[in-house]
Amino acid sequence: MTQQIMPLMDAASLHLEGQGRPMHVAGLLIFELPAELTAAQRQRFVTQLVSRWRRERRVSSPWNRVLTRPTRWQLRPATTTCYDLDLEYHLRQWSLPGRGEAEELAQMIAWLHGQSMDLAKPLWECHVIEGLANNRFALYVKLHHALVDGISATRLLMRGLATNATDRAVVPPWAAPQPPLEGGSGGPNWPSGSELVEATGATLKLWGGAGALTTFQQAPRSIVNGVIGQHRRMTTQHFRLDRLKAVAQSAEATLNDVVLALVGGALRRYLLDADALPEASLTAAMPVSTRKPGDFSVGNQVSMTFGCLGTNVADPRARLERIKASTRAGKSMVQGLSMNAQIPYALLSTAPFLASVILGRAGKGRPLFNTVVSNVPGDSQARYLDGARLLHCYPVSLVMPGVPLNFTCFSHDGYLNLGIVGCRDRVPRLQRLSNDLAQALEDLEKAVSCS
């Protein structure tokens, strides 16, 4: 494959890389070993898997892409094909100490996630972790945001997994065949002058819109905003999808609205415990895919909407109603844009924040938004790795200066899985947020009378 110039949105993720600011995203996949294995077979399972994967020489895009210059200081970054992949570097095996509880796994993932990637090598790593409690093991796979967004990253991870338990020769993600329509649907054309004006007008509304639209002016100062350090915390939570859908149906809300209400309820409790709840509601940036149906290409195709979290509303039902009004106003504005105006809107709406990061001002003043809440669509089909069933897939996203807390969820096989990432210095006792999310769901179920 010949040299490829990075698209503008992909290149932006590379430019933002810096000290204490790694720009990769990841997935944490939890598998349960096949029940029919003997104790000796369970003990050898992960080692045999890693050994087989290290002998695999097939590599597909983007796993074989490497920067032509290993630095973020370049105006037009480009990648080329790597034909000699060092799998001893990219594929690593670990074992948890002690009993392999969830807290021990979270500590390891937080450490791995805080490590920046080597820009001189293909921008991905795969860590296979054994020793989890209850006959489980995990894959932690990270890819640089310059290669993928959340949707394309999860597709890459799911692509090679089997759909039945009898397939015992599953190829590693980097060797899985490409989908037939990768990049085939194409993106929008270059916007016209009128479409640029359209995108600019929508962006200006974020600075002073009226009605229920959430704007940059509404985000309050809070203890979960500010400068960030190099180290991370990570925790997880998962809920049965039927519980969340029952709440959504009772409240005539969307699943995304319910997720925002849980995050708002959890943050309210967290900030109250710290005696640091702002009078105004915290707000969230919510990435939205701009992909056309059938577009299986990798790379970044994301726009942004913004919504309130209702952290200043005590009643769970009233909080959800406020969130509904906010998200509907945001969606209406973005969906009202023509296709060719959505890309310049995505760039213009995030430009003030990205500029503050590049200039070193992010986290030193009032935030434009307080956190990020992202929902990556999944599927309901069970997946297997050499007969081991995938139980949960938790997204492990990035945090940025000024926004040291991120909630990202992914639906799979009847569960909504949330990965929560925070800056270790800025967001202490992150595990409390996981527990507070569970309490927020119970409170909301009671409030809408579906428990």
Side-chain angles (χ1 to χ4, degrees), residues 26 48 81 143 159 171 189 205 273 361 413-414 416 419:
Q48 291 175 342
T81 304
L143 301 100
R159 183 183 299 170
V171 298
N189 298 319
K205 292 180 181 179
D273 288 344
R361 299 301 304 167
D413 197 15
L416 186 80

Side-chain angles (χ1 to χ4, degrees), residues 241-307:
L241 273 171
D242 52 12
R243 288 183 68 188
L244 303 179
K245 290 178 179 178
V247 171
Q249 183 175 5
S250 295
E252 297 182 343
T254 67
L255 185 61
N256 283 338
D257 292 337
V258 173
V259 171
L260 289 173
L262 299 187
V263 172
L267 283 172
R268 175 181 171 84
R269 181 181 294 268
Y270 180 87
L271 293 170
L272 281 172
D273 288 344
D275 194 24
L277 180 66
E279 291 185 5
S281 172
L282 269 62
T283 67
M286 299 172 290
V288 178
S289 175
T290 58
R291 295 175 185 274
K292 296 179 181 179
D295 183 355
F296 295 105
S297 61
V298 295
N300 291 270
Q301 297 185 45
V302 177
S303 185
M304 199 74 70
T305 62
F306 302 88

